Amino acid sequence: MTTKRTLPSDLEIAQQAELWPLTEVARQAGLPAEHLIPYGRHAAKVDLGVLDEASGRPPARMIVVTAVTPTPLGEGKTTTAVGLAQGMAQIGERAILTLRQPSMGPTFGVKGGAAGGGYSQIVPMETLNLHLTGDFHAVTAAHNLLAAMLDAHLFHGNALNIDPGNISWRRVLDINDRALRNVVIGLGPKEDGVTRQTGFDITAASEVMVILSLCSSLADLRARLGRIVVGFTYGGQPVTAEQLGAAGAMTAILRDAIQPNLMQTLEHTPALIHAGPFGNIATGNSSVLADLVGSRLADYVITEAGFGADMGAERFFNVKCRVSGLTPSAAVLVVTVRALKTHSGRFRVVPGRPLPPEMLAENPGDVLAGADNLRKHIDIVKGFGVSPVVAINVFPTDHESELEAIREIAEAAGARVARSTHVVDGGPGAAELARAVVAACQQASEFRPTYALDEPLATKLEKVAVQVYGADGAELSPQASKDLKRFEELGYGNLPVVIAKTHLSISSDPKLRSAPTGWTLPVREVRAAVGAGYIYAICGDMRTMPGLGATPAAQNIDIDETGEIVGLF
């Protein structure tokens, strides 16, 4: 078993940190001070003019941090990404980190924020997890403005002939609130609006959030917002935000939000925090603009994709890389002993509860029993022509024999492998991982997406199901087939696809562990995110508005007598 050290809480570590002025962080990154727009003492917007100024520089090498299929407790992708960025500095390499901004829903719920952990964090963590520079609020406002203008259009005569029973645009809020999943609006007297059923999603699930993450300029943002489809007419024609006259005002609301946010790690590595789309129903990646800014400044850009390689990394490769034009050089696959033990099917892990005692006992056989999940994720990365590096996120409860079992599994599957103790040791604990990543980036790669954009939508779905998930195929419901036919007739056939499914299994069934075979992906329905620029298939029951548990994290958050925030992880 590794040496156990008692660490202060994440918040205590963050509040004890000595932060550099952001001008110094920017200087280390090669970012001219005139491109910084300060938001308080330790966060700043980055003026997009830097893209023109640094246009002649060769782009950095892109590294995406992904993981095996996560347990309900998570495997530490964000923490590993932060640790790797710090580890790069330890070995003398210039790296910039690009991450999603945390949603306040999970922050006040059960999962916690996304600032990293231990001695591999983004700081100040309170700023990151609570509001930051207001981007999420801007997305919420822009989204809800469109909803309000849609309902006002219905109230004032419905000149566009919109079918109230075929409206897809709901409202959003950045708080977990199950009571708002399904609501009826327009109750009361006639002047209170048209009565209809709708609901709320969490802001991270908004198409506006995905648009913010995928746009490449202010003009591109404006064009994408205009293409948002909010519903259909009685004749089956799409109704857009442009037709409702909302896209211009939405762009004005998001004018500042389009600029990435500069922060720093505990070891002063520059971090660009921007956008925060959901990982199971959307792209689950930070912004294209943050990657483009980072690629013009550093030698390496380290970014994180949501959930496992079958989810966020697949969308990073098939959607985000196409938009950014950046080619990935390596992929880091985060794995833990507890994850592979969970995928053995021998243990039950429940969020908020201690791990079963027998799971903590030394037993490399339990690790080997779940090894097919790691092998499958390595195959997924290699299938894109990208070099995989398996990062073993070491916990104090791990045993040497179990860590060696993971090493043997990864090397036999053709991946580089490195242990990382970044949580307790910060950058020095990730130096081995950093060296492995640099070596992987020096290896020639032949990046290849799963499908060509001119292939039929059904073929794209089938290829992701078979080549990425390992399914025997995809089975379309009659409704899904009808949806695909209609979208192709409307001219959306050349868009990439996103498959909304569970993150708890490579398959569409959250109960299937390891690397399931002999199954078929069921496609229930298909929807169009035309502004974001993709078609997404619904393959399971995903909540777009989470609920709070019986004892949410919000109950522990407060301020002390000096005004400092306490209880935030």
Side-chain angles (χ1 to χ4, degrees):
M1 185 178 295
T2 58
T3 303
K4 187 171 183 179
R5 287 166 49 187
T6 301
L7 293 181
S9 72
D10 290 348
L11 182 58
E12 289 171 332
I13 291 173
Q15 290 179 338
Q16 292 167 7
E18 293 185 10
L19 277 65
W20 281 2
L22 275 184
T23 50
E24 178 59 20
V25 176
R27 189 187 69 79
Q28 294 282 348
L31 177 62
E34 59 265 27
H35 290 296
L36 290 186
I37 306 170
Y39 273 69
R41 293 187 180 93
H42 300 297
K45 286 287 185 183
V46 177
D47 181 355
L48 295 181
V50 72
L51 289 173
D52 296 326
E53 188 168 310
S55 60
R57 191 182 186 281
R61 288 170 168 166
M62 283 294 304
I63 302 154
V64 60
V65 178
T66 182
V68 297
T69 302
T71 67
L73 302 177
E75 309 320 311
K77 285 196 314 300
T78 305
T79 306
T80 301
V82 176
L84 174 58
Q86 296 180 156
M88 285 289 203
Q90 289 289 324
I91 65 170
E93 301 288 353
R94 295 179 64 252
I96 285 181
L97 184 65
T98 64
L99 296 176
R100 287 180 292 172
Q101 180 181 337
S103 164
M104 289 199 301
T107 295
F108 291 131
V110 64
K111 182 177 182 291
Y119 289 97
S120 291
Q121 294 188 54
I122 305 296
V123 284
M125 70 171 297
E126 308 98 301
T127 301
L128 178 58
N129 284 289
L130 303 174
H131 309 296
L132 192 51
T133 59
D135 293 350
F136 267 55
H137 304 310
V139 169
T140 301
H143 182 115
N144 291 339
L145 173 64
L146 178 54
M149 292 182 71
L150 169 60
D151 281 301
H153 183 89
L154 295 177
F155 177 76
H156 290 293
N158 194 8
L160 293 174
N161 204 29
I162 301 170
D163 178 2
N166 201 0
I167 291 173
S168 56
W169 199 254
R170 292 152 57 92
R171 285 165 169 80
V172 296
L173 189 70
D174 193 32
I175 291 291
N176 292 0
D177 194 344
R178 61 172 52 83
L180 294 178
R181 288 172 181 165
N182 294 283
V183 301
V184 176
I185 61 174
L187 295 175
K190 183 178 179 180
E191 59 267 24
D192 286 350
V194 176
T195 302
R196 65 182 184 91
Q197 185 172 348
T198 181
F200 279 75
D201 300 321
I202 197 165
T203 298
S206 168
E207 185 178 347
V208 176
M209 182 66 81
V210 188
I211 289 172
L212 184 68
S213 73
L214 291 176
C215 70
S216 57
S217 66
L218 189 61
D220 185 33
L221 173 68
R222 173 64 177 81
R224 287 173 180 269
L225 291 172
R227 292 195 294 265
I228 290 173
V229 173
V230 299
F232 293 84
T233 67
Y234 284 106
Q237 293 301 304
V239 179
T240 67
E242 195 68 61
Q243 289 174 284
L244 289 167
M250 294 170 71
T251 308
I253 292 172
L254 295 167
R255 186 187 63 171
D256 293 338
I258 194 176
Q259 300 165 324
N261 306 292
L262 178 66
M263 298 186 74
Q264 62 186 292
T265 72
L266 284 169
E267 297 176 15
H268 319 300
T269 309
L272 295 171
I273 312 297
H274 201 211
F278 247 28
N280 53 2
I281 65 165
T283 51
N285 282 265
S286 60
S287 78
V288 163
L289 282 169
D291 285 358
L292 289 174
V293 170
S295 73
R296 302 286 173 83
L297 300 174
D299 296 322
Y300 297 88
V301 173
I302 300 165
T303 192
E304 177 205 349
F307 299 127
D310 59 316
M311 300 287 285
E314 182 269 320
R315 294 157 196 186
F316 173 83
F317 295 134
N318 280 325
V319 180
K320 188 181 179 186
C321 286
R322 278 186 159 118
V323 175
S324 70
L326 298 173
T327 302
S329 297
V332 175
L333 268 170
V334 180
V335 64
T336 59
V337 166
R338 72 183 186 188
L340 296 191
K341 285 188 173 183
T342 300
H343 286 295
S344 72
R346 300 172 180 177
F347 307 98
R348 184 168 179 262
V349 177
V350 180
R353 296 183 186 177
L355 293 174
E358 60 273 20
M359 192 174 178
L360 300 178
E362 182 173 8
N363 190 339
D366 289 340
V367 173
L368 295 172
D372 281 347
N373 188 266
L374 174 58
R375 295 188 186 101
K376 177 58 181 173
H377 283 286
I378 291 173
D379 286 344
I380 290 173
V381 171
K382 291 170 68 176
F384 286 99
V386 178
S387 300
V389 178
V390 172
I392 306 175
N393 185 12
V394 179
F395 282 67
T397 52
D398 296 342
H399 299 272
E400 183 63 27
S401 62
E402 297 169 338
L403 297 171
E404 275 304 305
I406 294 178
R407 179 181 293 278
E408 291 170 6
I409 294 162
E411 289 180 343
R416 289 178 172 82
V417 60
R419 298 186 192 183
S420 190
T421 58
H422 50 274
V423 173
V424 296
D425 297 318
E432 177 188 339
L433 174 60
R435 284 189 285 269
V437 169
V438 169
C441 288
Q442 292 170 347
Q443 179 179 328
S445 62
E446 297 180 2
F447 173 60
R448 50 186 178 271
T450 308
Y451 49 80
L453 291 178
D454 59 0
E455 293 182 276
L457 292 173
T459 301
K460 296 172 189 173
L461 293 173
E462 180 90 7
K463 284 191 171 183
V464 174
V466 174
Q467 297 180 25
V468 178
Y469 303 158
D472 292 339
E475 182 178 357
L476 304 177
S477 71
Q479 181 62 50
S481 296
K482 181 180 177 182
D483 292 338
L484 290 176
K485 183 174 184 286
R486 178 176 58 151
F487 292 149
E488 288 181 337
E489 290 172 348
L490 290 171
Y492 306 150
N494 285 337
L495 295 179
V497 296
V498 166
I499 296 177
K501 72 173 188 70
T502 180
H503 61 281
L504 296 174
S505 172
I506 297 176
S507 75
S508 57
D509 184 349
K511 297 178 182 178
L512 296 181
R513 300 295 183 191
S514 200
T517 58
W519 62 281
T520 301
L521 180 74
V523 181
R524 190 177 75 234
E525 63 176 302
V526 184
R527 301 173 187 172
V530 182
Y534 58 78
I535 302 298
Y536 63 106
I538 308 299
C539 303
D541 183 21
M542 271 74 57
R543 291 293 188 187
T544 54
M545 171 55 85
L548 292 175
T551 55
Q555 291 183 357
N556 300 318
I557 300 171
D558 206 332
I559 57 173
D560 63 18
E561 61 277 4
T562 68
E564 291 289 332
I565 293 173
V566 296
L568 191 64
F569 326 124

